[in-house]
Amino acid sequence: MNILLKSAKIVNEATKEIHLKKRDILIKNGVIEKIGVQIDAPPKTKIVEHKNLHVSLGWMDTGVSFGEPGYEERETIDNGLQTAARSGFTDVLLNPNSFPLPDSSSDIVFLKNASKGHVTNLHPLGNLTVSGEGESLAELYDMKNAGAVGFYDFKHAVTNPNLLKIALQYAQNFDGIVLSFPLDNHIAGKGIVNEGIVSTRLGLKGIPAMAEELQVSRDLFILEYTGGKLHIPTISTANSVKLIAAAKKKGLKVTCSVAVHNLIKTDDDLEDFETHYKVLPPLRTTKDCKELIKGLTNGTIDFVTSDHTPLNIELKKVEFDNADYGTIGLESSFGALNQLFDIEETIEILTRGRKTFGIEVPELREGTKANLTIFDPNTEYTFSEDHISSSSKNSLFLNTVLKGTVLGTISNNQVHLNH
């Protein structure tokens, strides 16, 4: 398909000569053929024009969940990838959060095959342990060869320190990356929200910040001993940022992410016992939010993830204590981030991550494959169910004012336009 973006403002620091300049971009058969001030459209070319058209490299999300296989009513791979494309993401890392869990090469092959033919590329994470039970390592090497980009027991801490040690040592043989969820279950106990003034006032059992920080500290200690590559997904406390900053200073190969909602929402939002706000890690304090934002700005925190977790309504429309953890986030991710940062920083954050997980990094130059997101950064709107294309509607950003609209995505010689 041939497409011409007219007068698009390019946000891409890597190409200094056109960064923040308005240009026409002609894409032929999936390749950027020409970037120029004025390009005439060849025959049979789709022209994309918009009053405030912006373009950047395609965005990446390092942590999404769909339901398939096993929980298709929450989200199929097909609808999940269409939602990702509508939300501006040309690449997503898929969490192992299905039934059965992906712990063998054939499971990874199934996920890769199910995602073919989409604008958005799906990069599966395989389970670190067999059936995610934390007892013995899964087929890491075989899964890597089948296309897994990392190994993670989704939202489950590696409770056995020796297992993490062996995993980090073994994965070095094939440049694999190990993910370890930051939560000490013994300290967290039956807690469901951040432990503090709010949890006490509301009579809800708390998860202390220490439950996360002890696990982070332990994992970094093991990493220092073993070497290898460790990724700590969705940190949520000020002290976790400090611990990871110190580890990076030592030269350890550690990366981490933060869920976008942990940058914006706090435990003060729990006052109405709204179950959409029940997430793991829990919403913390304003101080934590500030330190997480600072960590993101100075490079201590590597990625922001939507932590997109679709859940059917009966898992959320119950008492707060009994509700499942999780919120969807793909559709609101850009609008939320764009409220916090200027557009250059927002795009820089959204395009990070590929290199860490061994994914090809696209370029915005003539002669390269088009992997692009088009958007308008200035529109403001109140996020509602009308903006949700996920099968599940469990969003904690409902009724929140967001800034910026995704207009479409271009990747894999395909175009998805929202308007």
Side-chain angles (χ1 to χ4, degrees), residues 335-392:
L337 263 184
N338 197 33
Q339 284 281 42
L340 285 178
F341 303 102
D342 66 37
I343 192 59
E344 287 179 72
E345 197 159 9
T346 299
I347 297 307
E348 196 275 320
I349 290 165
L350 285 166
T351 50
R352 293 176 187 175
R354 292 176 174 88
K355 207 172 173 186
T356 298
F357 294 96
I359 297 162
E360 188 185 344
V361 181
E363 291 183 89
L364 211 166
R365 298 178 190 277
E366 291 179 356
T368 62
K369 281 184 193 167
N371 184 312
L372 306 171
T373 301
I374 51 177
F375 55 96
D376 177 349
N378 294 346
T379 48
E380 282 206 350
Y381 60 98
T382 301
F383 189 72
S384 69
E385 281 204 12
D386 293 343
H387 299 107
I388 296 175
S389 47
S390 302
S391 305
S392 300

Short mmCIF file of all heavy atoms in Angstrom, two decimals, residues 335-392:
data_model
loop_
_atom_site.label_atom_id
_atom_site.label_comp_id
_atom_site.label_asym_id
_atom_site.label_seq_id
_atom_site.Cartn_x
_atom_site.Cartn_y
_atom_site.Cartn_z
N GLY A 335 -2.07 9.32 26.26
CA GLY A 335 -2.74 10.49 26.81
C GLY A 335 -2.34 10.80 28.24
O GLY A 335 -2.27 11.97 28.65
N ALA A 336 -2.05 9.75 29.02
CA ALA A 336 -1.62 9.93 30.41
C ALA A 336 -0.17 10.43 30.48
O ALA A 336 0.13 11.39 31.18
CB ALA A 336 -1.76 8.62 31.17
N LEU A 337 0.70 9.79 29.72
CA LEU A 337 2.12 10.21 29.70
C LEU A 337 2.28 11.63 29.19
O LEU A 337 3.09 12.40 29.71
CB LEU A 337 2.92 9.28 28.78
CG LEU A 337 3.68 8.11 29.39
CD1 LEU A 337 4.46 7.41 28.32
CD2 LEU A 337 4.60 8.55 30.52
N ASN A 338 1.51 11.96 28.19
CA ASN A 338 1.59 13.26 27.54
C ASN A 338 1.10 14.39 28.45
O ASN A 338 1.36 15.56 28.21
CB ASN A 338 0.79 13.21 26.23
CG ASN A 338 1.12 14.35 25.29
OD1 ASN A 338 2.26 14.81 25.23
ND2 ASN A 338 0.13 14.81 24.55
N GLN A 339 0.38 14.02 29.52
CA GLN A 339 -0.01 15.00 30.55
C GLN A 339 1.18 15.33 31.46
O GLN A 339 1.25 16.41 32.04
CB GLN A 339 -1.14 14.44 31.43
CG GLN A 339 -2.51 14.44 30.79
CD GLN A 339 -3.16 15.81 30.83
OE1 GLN A 339 -2.53 16.82 30.58
NE2 GLN A 339 -4.45 15.85 31.14
N LEU A 340 2.09 14.36 31.59
CA LEU A 340 3.21 14.51 32.52
C LEU A 340 4.43 15.17 31.89
O LEU A 340 5.17 15.89 32.56
CB LEU A 340 3.65 13.13 33.04
CG LEU A 340 2.77 12.44 34.08
CD1 LEU A 340 3.37 11.09 34.42
CD2 LEU A 340 2.66 13.29 35.34
N PHE A 341 4.69 14.85 30.62
CA PHE A 341 5.93 15.27 29.97
C PHE A 341 5.63 16.06 28.71
O PHE A 341 4.55 15.97 28.15
CB PHE A 341 6.77 14.04 29.60
CG PHE A 341 7.10 13.15 30.75
CD1 PHE A 341 6.41 11.96 30.97
CD2 PHE A 341 8.10 13.50 31.66
CE1 PHE A 341 6.71 11.15 32.04
CE2 PHE A 341 8.41 12.69 32.74
CZ PHE A 341 7.71 11.51 32.94
N ASP A 342 6.64 16.82 28.23
CA ASP A 342 6.45 17.46 26.93
C ASP A 342 6.51 16.40 25.84
O ASP A 342 6.92 15.26 26.09
CB ASP A 342 7.47 18.59 26.70
CG ASP A 342 8.91 18.10 26.58
OD1 ASP A 342 9.15 17.03 25.99
OD2 ASP A 342 9.81 18.80 27.08
N ILE A 343 6.13 16.76 24.64
CA ILE A 343 5.95 15.74 23.60
C ILE A 343 7.25 15.03 23.23
O ILE A 343 7.26 13.83 22.97
CB ILE A 343 5.24 16.33 22.34
CG1 ILE A 343 4.78 15.20 21.41
CG2 ILE A 343 6.11 17.33 21.61
CD1 ILE A 343 3.83 14.20 22.03
N GLU A 344 8.37 15.76 23.25
CA GLU A 344 9.65 15.11 22.91
C GLU A 344 10.00 14.01 23.91
O GLU A 344 10.41 12.92 23.54
CB GLU A 344 10.78 16.14 22.86
CG GLU A 344 10.72 17.05 21.64
CD GLU A 344 11.86 18.07 21.66
OE1 GLU A 344 13.01 17.66 21.44
OE2 GLU A 344 11.58 19.26 21.92
N GLU A 345 9.82 14.32 25.20
CA GLU A 345 10.14 13.33 26.23
C GLU A 345 9.14 12.17 26.20
O GLU A 345 9.51 11.01 26.37
CB GLU A 345 10.16 14.01 27.61
CG GLU A 345 10.87 13.15 28.64
CD GLU A 345 11.37 13.94 29.84
OE1 GLU A 345 11.03 15.14 29.98
OE2 GLU A 345 12.10 13.36 30.63
N THR A 346 7.87 12.50 25.99
CA THR A 346 6.85 11.45 25.89
C THR A 346 7.20 10.45 24.79
O THR A 346 7.16 9.23 25.01
CB THR A 346 5.46 12.07 25.60
OG1 THR A 346 5.10 12.94 26.67
CG2 THR A 346 4.39 11.01 25.45
N ILE A 347 7.56 10.95 23.62
CA ILE A 347 7.88 10.07 22.49
C ILE A 347 9.17 9.30 22.75
O ILE A 347 9.28 8.11 22.44
CB ILE A 347 7.98 10.88 21.17
CG1 ILE A 347 6.62 11.51 20.83
CG2 ILE A 347 8.49 10.01 20.02
CD1 ILE A 347 5.44 10.57 20.78
N GLU A 348 10.13 9.96 23.38
CA GLU A 348 11.40 9.27 23.70
C GLU A 348 11.11 8.08 24.62
O GLU A 348 11.65 6.99 24.45
CB GLU A 348 12.35 10.28 24.37
CG GLU A 348 13.81 9.83 24.42
CD GLU A 348 14.10 8.94 25.61
OE1 GLU A 348 13.59 9.21 26.70
OE2 GLU A 348 14.85 7.95 25.43
N ILE A 349 10.21 8.29 25.59
CA ILE A 349 9.86 7.20 26.53
C ILE A 349 9.11 6.08 25.78
O ILE A 349 9.38 4.89 25.98
CB ILE A 349 9.00 7.76 27.69
CG1 ILE A 349 9.86 8.64 28.60
CG2 ILE A 349 8.34 6.63 28.48
CD1 ILE A 349 9.05 9.52 29.56
N LEU A 350 8.17 6.45 24.92
CA LEU A 350 7.34 5.46 24.22
C LEU A 350 8.11 4.65 23.17
O LEU A 350 7.64 3.59 22.75
CB LEU A 350 6.16 6.16 23.54
CG LEU A 350 5.03 6.63 24.47
CD1 LEU A 350 4.09 7.59 23.75
CD2 LEU A 350 4.24 5.44 25.02
N THR A 351 9.27 5.15 22.74
CA THR A 351 10.02 4.42 21.71
C THR A 351 11.21 3.66 22.29
O THR A 351 11.97 3.05 21.57
CB THR A 351 10.50 5.37 20.60
OG1 THR A 351 11.16 6.50 21.20
CG2 THR A 351 9.34 5.88 19.77
N ARG A 352 11.37 3.69 23.62
CA ARG A 352 12.45 2.91 24.26
C ARG A 352 12.09 1.43 24.31
O ARG A 352 10.92 1.08 24.25
CB ARG A 352 12.62 3.35 25.73
CG ARG A 352 13.12 4.74 25.97
CD ARG A 352 13.11 4.99 27.48
NE ARG A 352 13.44 6.37 27.83
CZ ARG A 352 13.41 6.83 29.08
NH1 ARG A 352 13.05 6.03 30.06
NH2 ARG A 352 13.71 8.09 29.33
N GLY A 353 13.10 0.60 24.50
CA GLY A 353 12.81 -0.78 24.92
C GLY A 353 13.22 -1.88 23.98
O GLY A 353 13.51 -3.00 24.40
N ARG A 354 13.26 -1.59 22.67
CA ARG A 354 13.50 -2.69 21.73
C ARG A 354 14.87 -3.34 21.92
O ARG A 354 14.99 -4.56 21.93
CB ARG A 354 13.35 -2.19 20.29
CG ARG A 354 11.91 -1.83 19.91
CD ARG A 354 11.85 -1.26 18.50
NE ARG A 354 10.49 -1.03 18.05
CZ ARG A 354 9.79 0.09 18.24
NH1 ARG A 354 10.34 1.08 18.92
NH2 ARG A 354 8.57 0.21 17.77
N LYS A 355 15.88 -2.50 22.06
CA LYS A 355 17.25 -3.02 22.14
C LYS A 355 17.42 -4.00 23.31
O LYS A 355 18.05 -5.05 23.19
CB LYS A 355 18.23 -1.84 22.29
CG LYS A 355 19.61 -2.12 21.75
CD LYS A 355 20.44 -0.84 21.75
CE LYS A 355 21.87 -1.16 21.36
NZ LYS A 355 22.72 0.03 21.49
N THR A 356 16.85 -3.63 24.45
CA THR A 356 16.96 -4.47 25.66
C THR A 356 16.46 -5.88 25.41
O THR A 356 17.01 -6.86 25.91
CB THR A 356 16.17 -3.82 26.82
OG1 THR A 356 16.75 -2.56 27.10
CG2 THR A 356 16.20 -4.68 28.07
N PHE A 357 15.38 -5.99 24.62
CA PHE A 357 14.76 -7.30 24.40
C PHE A 357 15.14 -7.91 23.04
O PHE A 357 14.49 -8.84 22.57
CB PHE A 357 13.24 -7.17 24.54
CG PHE A 357 12.82 -6.83 25.95
CD1 PHE A 357 12.58 -5.50 26.30
CD2 PHE A 357 12.73 -7.81 26.92
CE1 PHE A 357 12.23 -5.16 27.61
CE2 PHE A 357 12.37 -7.48 28.22
CZ PHE A 357 12.12 -6.16 28.58
N GLY A 358 16.20 -7.37 22.44
CA GLY A 358 16.72 -7.96 21.19
C GLY A 358 15.80 -7.79 20.00
O GLY A 358 15.79 -8.61 19.09
N ILE A 359 15.00 -6.71 20.01
CA ILE A 359 14.07 -6.46 18.91
C ILE A 359 14.68 -5.39 17.99
O ILE A 359 15.29 -4.43 18.47
CB ILE A 359 12.71 -5.97 19.47
CG1 ILE A 359 12.08 -7.08 20.32
CG2 ILE A 359 11.76 -5.55 18.36
CD1 ILE A 359 11.00 -6.60 21.27
N GLU A 360 14.52 -5.59 16.70
CA GLU A 360 15.10 -4.67 15.72
C GLU A 360 14.59 -3.24 15.96
O GLU A 360 13.40 -3.02 16.11
CB GLU A 360 14.73 -5.12 14.30
CG GLU A 360 15.44 -4.34 13.21
CD GLU A 360 14.96 -4.74 11.81
OE1 GLU A 360 14.32 -5.81 11.66
OE2 GLU A 360 15.21 -3.97 10.87
N VAL A 361 15.53 -2.29 16.00
CA VAL A 361 15.17 -0.90 16.24
C VAL A 361 14.93 -0.22 14.89
O VAL A 361 15.82 -0.17 14.04
CB VAL A 361 16.29 -0.15 17.00
CG1 VAL A 361 15.89 1.30 17.26
CG2 VAL A 361 16.59 -0.86 18.33
N PRO A 362 13.71 0.31 14.65
CA PRO A 362 13.43 0.95 13.36
C PRO A 362 14.12 2.31 13.24
O PRO A 362 14.60 2.86 14.24
CB PRO A 362 11.90 1.11 13.38
CG PRO A 362 11.54 1.17 14.82
CD PRO A 362 12.56 0.36 15.57
N GLU A 363 14.14 2.83 12.03
CA GLU A 363 14.70 4.16 11.80
C GLU A 363 13.70 4.99 11.00
O GLU A 363 12.91 4.44 10.23
CB GLU A 363 16.01 4.07 11.02
CG GLU A 363 17.16 3.46 11.80
CD GLU A 363 18.44 3.47 10.99
OE1 GLU A 363 19.17 4.48 11.06
OE2 GLU A 363 18.68 2.50 10.26
N LEU A 364 13.79 6.30 11.17
CA LEU A 364 12.92 7.18 10.41
C LEU A 364 13.78 7.88 9.35
O LEU A 364 14.18 9.03 9.51
CB LEU A 364 12.23 8.19 11.35
CG LEU A 364 10.84 8.67 10.96
CD1 LEU A 364 10.15 9.38 12.12
CD2 LEU A 364 10.84 9.57 9.73
N ARG A 365 14.12 7.14 8.30
CA ARG A 365 14.97 7.65 7.22
C ARG A 365 14.48 7.08 5.89
O ARG A 365 13.80 6.05 5.86
CB ARG A 365 16.42 7.19 7.39
CG ARG A 365 17.12 7.66 8.64
CD ARG A 365 18.54 7.09 8.71
NE ARG A 365 19.15 7.33 10.01
CZ ARG A 365 19.74 8.46 10.37
NH1 ARG A 365 19.80 9.46 9.51
NH2 ARG A 365 20.25 8.61 11.57
N GLU A 366 14.86 7.72 4.82
CA GLU A 366 14.55 7.19 3.49
C GLU A 366 15.23 5.83 3.31
O GLU A 366 16.37 5.63 3.72
CB GLU A 366 15.04 8.16 2.41
CG GLU A 366 14.24 9.44 2.36
CD GLU A 366 14.70 10.44 1.31
OE1 GLU A 366 15.72 10.18 0.63
OE2 GLU A 366 14.04 11.49 1.18
N GLY A 367 14.48 4.90 2.71
CA GLY A 367 15.04 3.58 2.42
C GLY A 367 14.86 2.55 3.53
O GLY A 367 15.24 1.40 3.39
N THR A 368 14.25 2.96 4.67
CA THR A 368 14.04 2.01 5.77
C THR A 368 12.56 1.59 5.82
O THR A 368 11.69 2.30 5.33
CB THR A 368 14.42 2.62 7.13
OG1 THR A 368 13.59 3.76 7.39
CG2 THR A 368 15.88 3.04 7.15
N LYS A 369 12.31 0.44 6.44
CA LYS A 369 10.92 -0.03 6.60
C LYS A 369 10.16 0.94 7.48
O LYS A 369 10.67 1.37 8.53
CB LYS A 369 10.91 -1.42 7.24
CG LYS A 369 11.22 -2.54 6.28
CD LYS A 369 11.09 -3.87 7.01
CE LYS A 369 11.69 -4.99 6.19
NZ LYS A 369 11.86 -6.22 6.99
N ALA A 370 8.95 1.27 7.08
CA ALA A 370 8.13 2.21 7.87
C ALA A 370 7.59 1.50 9.11
O ALA A 370 6.89 0.50 9.03
CB ALA A 370 6.99 2.73 7.02
N ASN A 371 7.98 2.02 10.26
CA ASN A 371 7.43 1.57 11.54
C ASN A 371 7.14 2.86 12.30
O ASN A 371 8.00 3.42 12.99
CB ASN A 371 8.46 0.70 12.28
CG ASN A 371 7.90 0.13 13.58
OD1 ASN A 371 7.33 0.84 14.38
ND2 ASN A 371 8.10 -1.16 13.80
N LEU A 372 5.91 3.38 12.12
CA LEU A 372 5.60 4.75 12.52
C LEU A 372 4.28 4.84 13.29
O LEU A 372 3.37 4.04 13.10
CB LEU A 372 5.49 5.65 11.28
CG LEU A 372 6.67 5.68 10.30
CD1 LEU A 372 6.28 6.44 9.04
CD2 LEU A 372 7.90 6.30 10.95
N THR A 373 4.22 5.86 14.15
CA THR A 373 2.97 6.21 14.82
C THR A 373 2.64 7.65 14.45
O THR A 373 3.52 8.51 14.48
CB THR A 373 3.11 6.08 16.35
OG1 THR A 373 3.46 4.73 16.67
CG2 THR A 373 1.82 6.44 17.06
N ILE A 374 1.38 7.90 14.10
CA ILE A 374 0.96 9.27 13.79
C ILE A 374 -0.07 9.72 14.85
O ILE A 374 -0.89 8.92 15.29
CB ILE A 374 0.42 9.42 12.35
CG1 ILE A 374 -0.65 8.37 12.03
CG2 ILE A 374 1.55 9.31 11.34
CD1 ILE A 374 -1.26 8.51 10.64
N PHE A 375 0.04 10.99 15.24
CA PHE A 375 -0.74 11.44 16.40
C PHE A 375 -0.87 12.96 16.40
O PHE A 375 -0.17 13.67 15.68
CB PHE A 375 -0.05 10.99 17.69
CG PHE A 375 1.39 11.43 17.80
CD1 PHE A 375 1.73 12.59 18.50
CD2 PHE A 375 2.41 10.71 17.19
CE1 PHE A 375 3.04 13.01 18.59
CE2 PHE A 375 3.74 11.13 17.27
CZ PHE A 375 4.06 12.28 17.97
N ASP A 376 -1.80 13.42 17.23
CA ASP A 376 -1.97 14.85 17.50
C ASP A 376 -1.78 15.02 19.01
O ASP A 376 -2.58 14.53 19.80
CB ASP A 376 -3.39 15.29 17.09
CG ASP A 376 -3.67 16.75 17.42
OD1 ASP A 376 -2.87 17.37 18.16
OD2 ASP A 376 -4.70 17.28 16.95
N PRO A 377 -0.69 15.69 19.42
CA PRO A 377 -0.38 15.74 20.86
C PRO A 377 -1.19 16.75 21.66
O PRO A 377 -1.12 16.77 22.89
CB PRO A 377 1.09 16.14 20.87
CG PRO A 377 1.30 16.92 19.62
CD PRO A 377 0.33 16.36 18.61
N ASN A 378 -2.01 17.58 21.00
CA ASN A 378 -2.60 18.72 21.71
C ASN A 378 -4.06 18.56 22.12
O ASN A 378 -4.58 19.37 22.88
CB ASN A 378 -2.45 19.99 20.86
CG ASN A 378 -0.99 20.38 20.71
OD1 ASN A 378 -0.13 19.88 21.43
ND2 ASN A 378 -0.70 21.24 19.76
N THR A 379 -4.75 17.56 21.60
CA THR A 379 -6.18 17.43 21.94
C THR A 379 -6.34 17.02 23.41
O THR A 379 -5.59 16.20 23.92
CB THR A 379 -6.85 16.35 21.06
OG1 THR A 379 -6.01 15.19 21.07
CG2 THR A 379 -7.03 16.82 19.66
N GLU A 380 -7.32 17.61 24.08
CA GLU A 380 -7.63 17.22 25.46
C GLU A 380 -9.03 16.63 25.51
O GLU A 380 -9.93 17.12 24.83
CB GLU A 380 -7.53 18.42 26.41
CG GLU A 380 -6.10 18.77 26.76
CD GLU A 380 -5.98 19.49 28.10
OE1 GLU A 380 -7.02 19.87 28.66
OE2 GLU A 380 -4.84 19.66 28.57
N TYR A 381 -9.21 15.58 26.29
CA TYR A 381 -10.53 14.95 26.37
C TYR A 381 -10.63 14.17 27.68
O TYR A 381 -9.61 13.85 28.31
CB TYR A 381 -10.73 13.99 25.19
CG TYR A 381 -9.71 12.88 25.12
CD1 TYR A 381 -10.00 11.61 25.62
CD2 TYR A 381 -8.44 13.09 24.57
CE1 TYR A 381 -9.05 10.59 25.58
CE2 TYR A 381 -7.49 12.08 24.53
CZ TYR A 381 -7.80 10.84 25.03
OH TYR A 381 -6.86 9.83 25.01
N THR A 382 -11.84 13.90 28.10
CA THR A 382 -12.06 13.06 29.28
C THR A 382 -12.22 11.62 28.82
O THR A 382 -13.10 11.31 28.01
CB THR A 382 -13.32 13.53 30.05
OG1 THR A 382 -13.13 14.89 30.43
CG2 THR A 382 -13.53 12.70 31.30
N PHE A 383 -11.37 10.76 29.34
CA PHE A 383 -11.34 9.35 28.92
C PHE A 383 -12.62 8.64 29.38
O PHE A 383 -12.99 8.70 30.55
CB PHE A 383 -10.11 8.67 29.50
CG PHE A 383 -9.86 7.29 28.96
CD1 PHE A 383 -9.41 7.11 27.67
CD2 PHE A 383 -10.05 6.16 29.76
CE1 PHE A 383 -9.17 5.83 27.16
CE2 PHE A 383 -9.82 4.89 29.27
CZ PHE A 383 -9.37 4.73 27.96
N SER A 384 -13.30 7.99 28.42
CA SER A 384 -14.55 7.29 28.74
C SER A 384 -14.57 5.94 28.05
O SER A 384 -13.65 5.61 27.30
CB SER A 384 -15.74 8.12 28.26
OG SER A 384 -15.77 8.14 26.84
N GLU A 385 -15.63 5.18 28.29
CA GLU A 385 -15.74 3.85 27.65
C GLU A 385 -15.75 3.94 26.13
O GLU A 385 -15.39 2.99 25.44
CB GLU A 385 -16.98 3.10 28.15
CG GLU A 385 -16.77 2.48 29.51
CD GLU A 385 -17.70 1.29 29.78
OE1 GLU A 385 -18.36 0.80 28.83
OE2 GLU A 385 -17.76 0.85 30.94
N ASP A 386 -16.16 5.10 25.59
CA ASP A 386 -16.16 5.29 24.13
C ASP A 386 -14.75 5.21 23.56
O ASP A 386 -14.57 4.95 22.37
CB ASP A 386 -16.76 6.66 23.77
CG ASP A 386 -18.23 6.74 24.10
OD1 ASP A 386 -18.86 5.69 24.30
OD2 ASP A 386 -18.76 7.87 24.19
N HIS A 387 -13.74 5.48 24.38
CA HIS A 387 -12.35 5.46 23.91
C HIS A 387 -11.71 4.07 24.05
O HIS A 387 -10.55 3.88 23.71
CB HIS A 387 -11.50 6.46 24.72
CG HIS A 387 -11.98 7.87 24.57
ND1 HIS A 387 -12.65 8.55 25.57
CD2 HIS A 387 -11.90 8.73 23.52
CE1 HIS A 387 -12.95 9.76 25.15
NE2 HIS A 387 -12.52 9.90 23.92
N ILE A 388 -12.48 3.11 24.58
CA ILE A 388 -11.93 1.77 24.85
C ILE A 388 -12.32 0.81 23.73
O ILE A 388 -13.50 0.65 23.43
CB ILE A 388 -12.43 1.23 26.21
CG1 ILE A 388 -11.90 2.11 27.35
CG2 ILE A 388 -12.01 -0.22 26.42
CD1 ILE A 388 -12.44 1.73 28.73
N SER A 389 -11.32 0.19 23.12
CA SER A 389 -11.62 -0.83 22.12
C SER A 389 -11.29 -2.24 22.61
O SER A 389 -11.52 -3.22 21.93
CB SER A 389 -10.89 -0.53 20.80
OG SER A 389 -9.55 -0.21 21.02
N SER A 390 -10.74 -2.35 23.82
CA SER A 390 -10.52 -3.66 24.44
C SER A 390 -11.86 -4.32 24.71
O SER A 390 -12.87 -3.64 24.90
CB SER A 390 -9.79 -3.50 25.79
OG SER A 390 -8.57 -2.84 25.64
N SER A 391 -11.85 -5.65 24.75
CA SER A 391 -13.08 -6.38 25.10
C SER A 391 -13.47 -6.11 26.54
O SER A 391 -14.66 -6.08 26.89
CB SER A 391 -12.87 -7.89 24.91
OG SER A 391 -12.42 -8.15 23.59
N SER A 392 -12.49 -5.93 27.41
CA SER A 392 -12.75 -5.61 28.82
C SER A 392 -12.65 -4.10 29.03
O SER A 392 -11.89 -3.43 28.35
CB SER A 392 -11.73 -6.33 29.70
OG SER A 392 -11.82 -7.74 29.53
#
